[in-house]
Amino acid sequence: MGNYYQPEIETMPVEQLKALQSERLVAQVKHVYENVEFYRNRMEEAGVKPEDIHGIEDLHKLPFITKDDLRDQYPYGLLAAPLSECVRIQSTSGTTGRRVVAFYTQEDVDLWDECCARAIVAAGGTKEDVCHVCYGYGLFTGGPGLNGGSHKVGCLTLPMSSGNTERQLQFMTDLGSTIICCTPSYAANLGEAINERGLRDKIKLKAGIFGAEPWTEEMRHNIEDSLGIKAYDIYGLTEISGPGVSFECEEQAGMHIQEDHFIPEIINPDTGEVLPEGEVGELVFTCITKKAFPLLRYRTRDLCYLTRKKCSCGRTHIRMHKPMGRSDDMMVVKGVNVWPSQIEAVLLNQGYQANYQILVDRIGNNDTIEVQVELTPEMAETPTLTVEQREKKIVAGLKSMLGIKVDVKVVEPKTITRSEGKAVRVIDKRNLYRQA
């Protein structure tokens, strides 16, 4: 049996959990209908009234909401509590147009902290631990979420924020950090730095909680080997609260969604139809405990599947498979589904930065796919591998991730065009569909 922060909730029998979700959903629908004009209008357009929602079996009657709705309603259009009761905002790092801002009451913050505390305890954290948080702080939810969770567990919390590797290593060795929370690519960098400086026997890390970007099983094993830890995945999004919406237990086989707070659904991204458990589709969340900024049937664009298979950790909450990509940027190349996020994971895993471009074309009846990636300045200054060796290594990594051969071209630093807004990662010359 595993470690739990709130055992009575985390191991609650599924029928009881569903009854709790139904009760909370009914109250939440009434709350947003009465307090948010946007929801009232949307529900009226869909011909739904609060009294039509008797429980989770009626969830499918409610309309979806999307990131565009959030941008259109910026800043206060989706606020469901008086501003005087809100104590904080967090915001996405949005690079396209208007940002998304999420509001929190004190109760919302407390519940979010509890979600992150569950994730830390699932990774083996107790009040004896030193929790080293090097996710970004500020508007980004990573730092504040794990910081709050660590306080709830009672760990000594090091609010390091990101970057400044020298300082990270100093505090890690001097204060004996045992749990590290950061992005997987930063964990890989820290692992390299620790091993280069011969500090491996001076660090006391036992576990890492990594999220905010896609990473592969291969990357997990590399990080576990280089830091001598167990690496756990965590998932969340600012719109839903931040990290801690779901997390891995010691089984490391999918992330338990905190179903007492969030109801997940998987839908067909084209038709909106709800899919049965085990089928891959787009993940949709409904927040049933948030007061200030509760989203109902929010389309995340993340593609994954859910499973209620019994977990050896004893948690009863449904698990989501690590997202496989985004419903809005999938390409079909040589008959295989390919997501830029998968290619990026391989590149980050091998130490490249996210400066790359994917060129897709069709010659005759055959698809071609080429990935161009920049050397980092360090790689260019002190080459440890030839360009050919680098290309071979990336080709092999992509083959194991995607199952198809991808041409790879490694180019000099700063040769790929930078864009002002969101980077243009994919150039598809096949004209199969026009991107809006």
Side-chain angles (χ1 to χ4, degrees):
M1 290 296 273
N3 316 306
Y4 315 114
Y5 178 67
Q6 292 164 309
E8 65 297 341
I9 298 170
E10 296 178 63
T11 62
M12 185 182 277
V14 172
E15 286 318 303
Q16 217 178 312
L17 193 53
K18 288 186 171 174
L20 178 67
Q21 286 183 326
S22 287
E23 184 190 318
R24 288 178 169 178
L25 175 67
V26 170
Q28 188 72 291
V29 170
K30 195 168 173 298
H31 171 66
V32 299
Y33 188 84
E34 288 169 3
N35 292 290
V36 184
E37 188 187 352
F38 170 84
Y39 276 117
R40 211 160 37 244
N41 295 342
R42 271 294 167 89
M43 283 171 68
E44 277 162 13
E45 282 164 25
V48 184
K49 293 194 168 55
E51 48 273 26
D52 299 332
I53 307 296
H54 303 284
I56 51 176
E57 66 284 356
D58 297 321
L59 183 59
H60 67 96
K61 296 176 182 172
L62 294 168
F64 293 113
I65 77 163
T66 65
K67 199 161 207 167
D68 286 340
D69 294 325
L70 270 58
R71 291 196 183 111
D72 294 343
Q73 297 302 315
Y74 170 93
Y76 300 122
L78 284 163
L79 191 60
L83 259 184
S84 58
E85 283 178 28
C86 297
V87 297
R88 192 196 295 179
I89 66 151
Q90 301 285 167
S91 176
T92 59
S93 55
T95 47
T96 48
R98 281 184 288 186
R99 288 175 168 270
V100 168
V101 168
F103 295 83
Y104 300 74
T105 63
Q106 187 55 53
E107 186 192 357
D108 292 339
V109 172
D110 291 338
L111 294 178
W112 176 26
D113 288 348
E114 276 178 12
C115 287
C116 290
R118 291 180 195 174
I120 291 170
V121 173
T126 69
K127 64 184 196 349
E128 307 300 325
D129 280 292
V130 178
C131 187
H132 187 114
V133 183
C134 40
Y135 283 113
Y137 278 67
L139 289 170
F140 177 62
T141 52
L146 272 306
N147 192 84
S150 175
H151 280 218
K152 285 256 192 247
V153 176
C155 307
L156 176 64
T157 310
L158 310 187
M160 302 296 301
S161 200
S162 48
N164 199 335
T165 300
E166 288 305 322
R167 188 175 62 195
Q168 303 281 3
L169 297 182
Q170 186 191 344
F171 277 84
M172 198 179 284
T173 49
D174 293 351
L175 291 164
S177 309
T178 54
I179 296 175
I180 185 162
C181 308
C182 60
T183 61
S185 50
Y186 193 56
N189 291 350
L190 284 172
E192 257 174 42
I194 284 164
N195 290 310
E196 277 165 16
R197 291 167 179 72
L199 295 173
R200 181 65 189 269
D201 57 344
K202 295 207 170 41
I203 64 163
K204 297 198 170 87
L205 291 178
K206 62 177 188 181
I209 298 175
F210 305 129
E213 64 188 16
W215 52 309
T216 58
E217 280 305 305
E218 181 193 11
M219 190 166 185
R220 186 205 302 268
H221 297 312
N222 291 349
I223 292 170
E224 290 187 331
D225 291 345
S226 82
L227 289 172
I229 60 173
K230 267 192 90 164
Y232 297 91
D233 208 345
I234 190 168
Y235 173 88
L237 47 167
T238 306
E239 301 92 315
I240 302 298
S241 68
V245 171
S246 67
F247 60 83
E248 276 185 328
C249 60
E250 66 258 32
E251 179 105 333
Q252 292 174 301
M255 294 173 273
H256 290 280
I257 294 172
Q258 321 251 19
E259 288 189 277
D260 53 324
H261 299 300
F262 314 106
I263 303 176
E265 299 171 276
I266 295 286
I267 63 164
N268 174 321
D270 301 322
T271 64
E273 166 208 6
V274 179
L275 300 174
E277 181 192 317
E279 284 197 31
V280 174
E282 182 181 336
L283 182 60
V284 171
F285 277 117
T286 295
C287 304
I288 47 176
T289 52
K290 284 179 72 177
K291 288 290 178 287
F293 193 76
L295 299 186
L296 271 54
R297 299 200 88 200
Y298 178 67
R299 294 186 59 162
T300 65
R301 300 287 176 202
D302 284 329
L303 294 167
C304 68
Y305 64 84
L306 302 176
T307 174
R308 237 186 236 291
K309 249 202 224 122
K310 211 170 161 174
C311 187
S312 65
C313 77
R315 284 180 184 79
T316 49
H317 294 220
I318 202 162
R319 278 178 290 170
M320 60 180 271
H321 185 275
K322 183 191 274 296
M324 300 158 183
R326 313 267 303 157
S327 65
D328 43 9
D329 64 2
M330 186 186 88
M331 306 171 283
V332 179
V333 182
K334 302 180 184 180
V336 173
N337 295 349
V338 174
W339 287 278
S341 53
Q342 294 174 303
I343 291 174
E344 183 168 314
V346 172
L347 298 174
L348 291 173
N349 194 356
Q350 296 193 14
Y352 297 89
Q353 282 158 352
N355 301 321
Y356 64 90
Q357 247 176 5
I358 302 164
L359 310 170
V360 184
D361 208 345
R362 179 164 284 172
I363 295 168
N365 291 322
N366 294 322
D367 288 339
T368 64
I369 175 167
E370 176 180 283
V371 174
Q372 299 188 349
V373 60
E374 286 182 2
L375 290 167
T376 65
E378 299 74 42
M379 291 172 176
E381 279 160 31
T382 51
T384 47
L385 297 170
T386 65
V387 165
E388 289 72 27
Q389 288 169 321
R390 287 190 175 281
E391 290 174 345
K392 264 206 178 97
K393 198 173 164 196
I394 299 170
V395 167
L398 290 171
K399 180 96 181 3
S400 78
M401 169 68 96
L402 306 171
I404 55 172
K405 185 171 185 302
V406 174
D407 297 318
V408 173
K409 196 168 169 191
V410 171
V411 298
E412 288 299 307
K414 306 243 184 304
T415 47
I416 292 175
T417 318
R418 302 290 189 269
S419 63
E420 289 301 303
K422 230 181 171 79
V424 179
R425 297 283 185 226
V426 182
I427 298 170
D428 194 333
K429 298 179 178 165
R430 297 174 298 177
N431 295 333
L432 300 182
Y433 51 87
R434 287 267 171 235
Q435 280 176 321

